[in-house]
Amino acid sequence: MDAVTKLEKLNENFLTCCICSEVYKDPCTLSCGHTFCKGCLKKYLRNIDDPLQGCIPCPYCRQATRVSHPDGPVEEWVKPIKPSFLIQGLLDMFAPGDRNTQDVSEHMCVSCTLLGEKRDVVEFCCRDCNKAVCLSCCTLHHRTCESVMPIQTVLPEVKSVLMENKDRISKQLDDTRSTVLHHQSRILEISQKKLSLELQIRIVSQRATDLIKQKETQLLNQLNETIEKQSADLKGQVKSGKIDIQMYQQYVEYITQVMKSESETEMLDIYQMCQSGAIKEATERNVHLEDDTVEEDFIFIDEFNERAFHTDVRLGRLERPLFDVTSAPVLSESIDVRLDSDKVAPDAADVVVVFVDDVEALVVTDWSNKCLKSLYTLQSRPHQSKLTLKSNPFTVTKLRENQVAVSFWSYNAIVIAQVTPDLLLMSTIKTKKKYRCLTSLSPSTLAAGCMDPSSVDVLDMAGVVLRTFSGHNTGKNLIREPWFLSTTNKGNILVSDGGSGSVFCVTLEGEVVFTYTPTGGRELKRPRGITTTSTGHILVADYWTERLVLLTKTGEFIKDLLMSKDGAESLCGVFLHGTRLFVTESSQRVKVFEFKRTQSVCRFPILTLT
């Protein structure tokens, strides 16, 4: 029995209304279990002669079904009645025109169904209309189409496209799973970090609590000592008084007994003792002891200042990681910037890191191949982009998060490129001077260093010089050969000057903030790349001595961060991103150093109480 025959039997036996003999339309099932079209049931109720009495008699078995609102119109009785779960499920799956009634081996023509015709098996494919049709539809409706062919001939292509899309989606599935696993791992790390920080907070809180408890114990001990001392004096008086009381009681009892006995001899003896003063001396020797004690009173003075406690007492704080001068950079990665299209070995002069849509792009100037390069990873695959330039590029600086400016070794222009993370040429700014180095002062202004004549100029984005700094207006022997520039947190300009072996800091008004010109063992032979940290410290690379020097924000030497033994060789451009330091070495590699902290960033000071 084929699929169509089975469907017809199913419709006839289970999905056909016994009133209209058609497949159910808007079915409703009565309490007896029989199902009818709602329209057929309404007509049946209108034509019935017997009184309904708030119930619907089944047209098939006459069993009554109570309605929810018998006072309403009869036509409304049927409206809230729903079909049974089984009938509705059969209709959803096997009603005429539903695609689930097709046998796996025979796919019926959809066009026939849309036209209200009997459906035939699909045999052809119209490429012009992109439809699978039967022979009848092909003859009637696709006779003018040029690309009608048997469906078997297009199946290989269809399967190929499906397989290609399956592979693509599977790759996206794998990438998404990998990303989700990575995020789950990060969530776990964050949770563990949270537990660690909670422990630290609880420890310092316990230390504060212990210190308060210690103060409490000290006050209680002081109170106990004071009260004990005062009580000890009184206890001595009480003990002495009790002895006197006992003695007084004995004298009183003795005199009373003698007087009761009426003994002249005993009374005469006591009389003589009284007359001689012996009894008086014995009974009055400690009468005035209570006057020897000084009565003292103590009160507690509350010195707790709740407002000061909230403002002055600090348990600690949470903050984002900042540059730590005690940290040490460790070589973590060496990135090869050579591309297959390079004609000669690369010479990476400078580097910046740009984030675009959560994609980290390493942007490098290649002096030898006269190009700007972008290297990034997307969906776990490495990608490269190359922007060919007219001359040898030297330094690169970030204008905005996705824009960079490029200077040249010997070319009267500055190039603005967009990072998408692929590289796109946005504009070329023609300049009167040949600027070798750049730094961004704002999205609309640049500071540019020139060798001939030696100067640092402030430019707008049209290349117009707004201000010029040179040895004539900034001081003697200042600005001879500006190789690299950087901008401080306060907006001042840092100049790495190779001609004088110095680092200068100049304000936008031309005032010299500081000059760093070391001598002896710390002498800068060929200072190159320069940058600042989040804390304002200065990093300057020395090409010949192969050192990376750390200075304070005021230009004072702190230490050598990197030396040749640490993997620093012929340092040129430097760029600091978070805890990672990117260094170019005039070769085909960019080295990445990771700063490893030796001290904890989150500090929790001891609670101070006085």
Side-chain angles (χ1 to χ4, degrees):
M1 185 180 295
D2 58 16
V4 177
T5 304
K6 293 179 181 178
L7 178 60
E8 291 175 351
K9 290 289 186 181
L10 179 63
N11 290 338
E12 179 181 351
N13 295 332
F14 296 99
L15 304 179
T16 302
C17 175
C18 64
I19 297 177
C20 64
S21 301
E22 297 290 340
V23 175
Y24 293 128
K25 295 180 180 178
D26 196 9
C28 60
T29 302
L30 301 179
S31 59
C32 59
H34 295 118
T35 304
F36 309 90
C37 302
K38 283 187 178 181
C40 296
L41 194 56
K42 286 180 181 180
K43 292 178 182 180
Y44 167 76
L45 292 176
R46 291 194 201 103
N47 298 328
I48 195 171
D49 295 330
D50 299 334
L52 299 177
Q53 297 180 351
C55 296
I56 300 176
C58 175
Y60 189 84
C61 68
R62 307 301 296 174
Q63 181 176 335
T65 299
R66 292 188 177 276
V67 296
S68 56
H69 300 287
D71 297 333
V74 175
E75 291 79 9
E76 297 295 324
W77 290 6
V78 181
K79 188 175 181 180
I81 303 177
K82 304 294 183 182
S84 71
F85 179 81
L86 177 61
I87 294 296
Q88 187 62 57
L90 291 173
L91 284 172
D92 292 341
M93 296 182 63
F94 303 110
D98 192 270
R99 57 184 175 84
N100 292 322
T101 60
Q102 301 170 15
D103 189 71
V104 176
S105 61
E106 293 184 341
H107 301 274
M108 314 308 289
C109 180
V110 178
S111 299
C112 295
T113 303
L114 297 176
L115 295 172
E117 302 172 357
K118 184 179 179 180
R119 304 201 301 174
D120 289 335
V121 177
V122 170
E123 298 180 7
F124 295 91
C125 176
C126 178
R127 301 298 295 270
D128 296 343
C129 302
N130 198 24
K131 289 184 178 180
V133 295
C134 63
L135 178 60
S136 299
C137 290
C138 181
T139 304
L140 294 174
H141 309 295
H142 299 272
R143 59 182 180 275
T144 60
C145 297
E146 296 180 357
S147 300
V148 179
M149 57 189 67
I151 195 168
Q152 295 297 329
T153 61
V154 299
L155 284 180
E157 180 184 351
V158 170
K159 291 180 179 179
S160 175
V161 172
L162 293 177
M163 185 58 67
E164 181 181 346
N165 279 269
K166 176 189 173 184
D167 293 341
R168 178 180 57 81
I169 297 173
S170 297
K171 179 62 172 61
Q172 292 176 341
L173 174 63
D174 293 339
D175 292 342
T176 305
R177 282 176 176 168
S178 176
T179 302
V180 169
L181 290 175
H182 173 71
H183 289 341
Q184 290 176 336
S185 175
R186 286 287 298 127
I187 291 173
L188 180 60
E189 291 176 3
I190 293 172
S191 300
Q192 293 174 344
K193 182 66 174 179
K194 174 178 174 290
L195 294 175
S196 175
L197 293 177
E198 284 180 350
L199 179 60
Q200 294 180 50
I201 293 173
R202 287 193 175 95
I203 289 175
V204 73
S205 177
Q206 186 61 46
R207 286 164 53 194
T209 304
D210 293 343
L211 190 56
I212 294 174
K213 285 289 186 182
Q214 181 181 348
K215 286 290 183 181
E216 178 190 27
T217 303
Q218 290 176 356
L219 283 173
L220 293 176
N221 289 340
Q222 182 181 357
L223 176 63
N224 292 334
E225 290 175 2
T226 303
I227 298 301
E228 187 66 30
K229 182 179 180 182
Q230 188 179 24
S231 299
D233 295 339
L234 293 175
K235 287 178 181 179
Q237 294 287 346
V238 170
K239 185 177 181 181
S240 178
K242 287 181 178 180
I243 295 174
D244 291 342
I245 290 171
Q246 186 178 5
M247 180 187 65
Y248 295 152
Q249 288 177 343
Q250 291 175 355
Y251 275 109
V252 170
E253 291 175 358
Y254 179 65
I255 295 173
T256 302
Q257 290 176 1
V258 169
M259 293 179 67
K260 284 182 179 182
S261 66
E262 297 292 337
S263 173
E264 292 87 354
T265 305
E266 292 180 357
M267 285 191 292
L268 184 61
D269 291 339
I270 295 177
Y271 170 76
Q272 291 177 352
M273 292 174 62
C274 291
Q275 288 297 106
S276 64
I279 292 180
K280 184 178 180 180
E281 181 181 356
T283 55
E284 290 184 356
R285 61 183 182 87
N286 287 326
V287 171
H288 300 289
L289 284 176
E290 59 185 11
D291 296 334
D292 295 339
T293 62
V294 178
E295 187 170 336
E296 296 179 347
D297 191 14
F298 293 93
I299 62 173
F300 175 71
I301 300 175
D302 186 355
E303 296 180 345
F304 179 71
N305 188 331
E306 186 173 353
R307 178 178 298 179
F309 186 86
H310 283 295
T311 57
D312 298 338
V313 177
R314 297 180 301 161
L315 294 182
R317 65 182 181 274
L318 293 173
E319 61 182 24
R320 293 185 179 275
L322 296 174
F323 179 80
D324 189 353
V325 296
T326 64
S327 60
V330 178
L331 182 62
S332 63
E333 189 178 6
S334 181
I335 303 173
D336 192 349
V337 300
R338 184 182 182 93
L339 305 182
D340 294 337
S341 58
D342 289 345
K343 296 181 179 180
V344 296
D347 185 352
D350 200 9
V351 59
V352 295
V353 175
V354 177
F355 268 86
V356 182
D357 296 331
D358 294 330
V359 176
E360 181 184 275
L362 189 73
V363 181
V364 183
T365 55
D366 188 345
W367 191 91
S368 300
N369 290 284
K370 297 182 180 180
C371 67
L372 185 68
K373 296 176 178 178
S374 173
L375 295 89
Y376 59 95
T377 300
L378 187 61
Q379 295 181 349
S380 303
R381 293 182 179 179
H383 293 262
Q384 303 90 23
S385 178
K386 186 176 184 178
L387 180 62
T388 302
L389 304 171
K390 293 184 178 180
S391 186
N392 306 92
F394 192 58
T395 67
V396 58
T397 186
K398 290 172 62 175
L399 293 178
R400 294 181 175 85
E401 190 57 36
N402 64 338
Q403 291 182 9
V404 295
V406 181
S407 66
F408 295 87
W409 186 262
S410 182
Y411 187 53
N412 294 72
I414 296 172
V415 164
I416 308 300
Q418 184 176 8
V419 185
T420 64
D422 290 330
L423 297 172
L424 299 176
L425 178 63
M426 293 185 64
S427 62
T428 300
I429 305 172
K430 296 296 183 179
T431 59
K432 294 182 179 180
K433 298 180 181 179
K434 297 176 181 178
Y435 294 111
R436 183 172 293 183
C437 52
L438 292 172
T439 186
S440 174
L441 301 176
S442 72
S444 59
T445 54
L446 293 167
C450 179
M451 292 287 190
D452 187 17
S454 298
S455 66
V456 173
D457 297 342
V458 177
L459 314 173
D460 63 13
M461 299 310 292
V464 177
V465 178
L466 306 177
R467 199 172 293 107
T468 297
F469 310 133
S470 65
H472 299 289
N473 59 9
T474 55
K476 184 179 179 181
N477 297 328
L478 192 65
I479 306 180
R480 295 183 184 179
E481 294 179 8
W483 281 77
F484 281 83
L485 303 179
S486 184
T487 306
T488 68
N489 299 340
K490 295 183 177 180
N492 297 327
I493 304 171
L494 290 172
V495 183
S496 178
D497 192 277
S500 61
S502 304
V503 173
F504 306 125
C505 181
V506 184
T507 67
L508 296 182
E509 291 72 30
E511 298 178 0
V512 179
V513 179
F514 69 79
T515 300
Y516 176 74
T517 309
T519 58
R522 296 179 182 173
E523 180 183 1
L524 298 176
K525 298 293 183 66
R526 281 291 183 268
R528 292 292 185 264
I530 189 168
T531 189
T532 59
T533 70
S534 57
T535 55
H537 292 82
I538 302 168
L539 303 178
V540 56
D542 193 5
Y543 181 84
W544 275 10
T545 61
E546 299 183 332
R547 292 180 301 145
L548 182 69
V549 181
L550 175 63
L551 307 178
T552 66
K553 62 180 69 176
T554 56
E556 298 171 349
F557 177 84
I558 297 179
K559 64 178 179 179
D560 292 328
L561 269 181
L562 282 177
M563 292 184 287
S564 57
K565 63 182 180 62
D566 303 315
E569 300 174 358
S570 304
L571 304 180
C572 193
V574 292
F575 184 85
L576 183 64
H577 180 72
T579 58
R580 291 182 298 163
L581 178 69
F582 297 80
V583 179
T584 62
E585 298 180 339
S586 297
S587 67
Q588 68 180 48
R589 292 191 173 275
V590 174
K591 289 184 178 180
V592 184
F593 294 84
E594 186 80 23
F595 282 92
K596 304 297 183 181
R597 289 179 174 81
T598 57
Q599 293 182 356
S600 175
V601 175
C602 286
R603 301 176 180 87
F604 298 89
I606 296 176
L607 180 69
T608 302
L609 295 174
T610 57

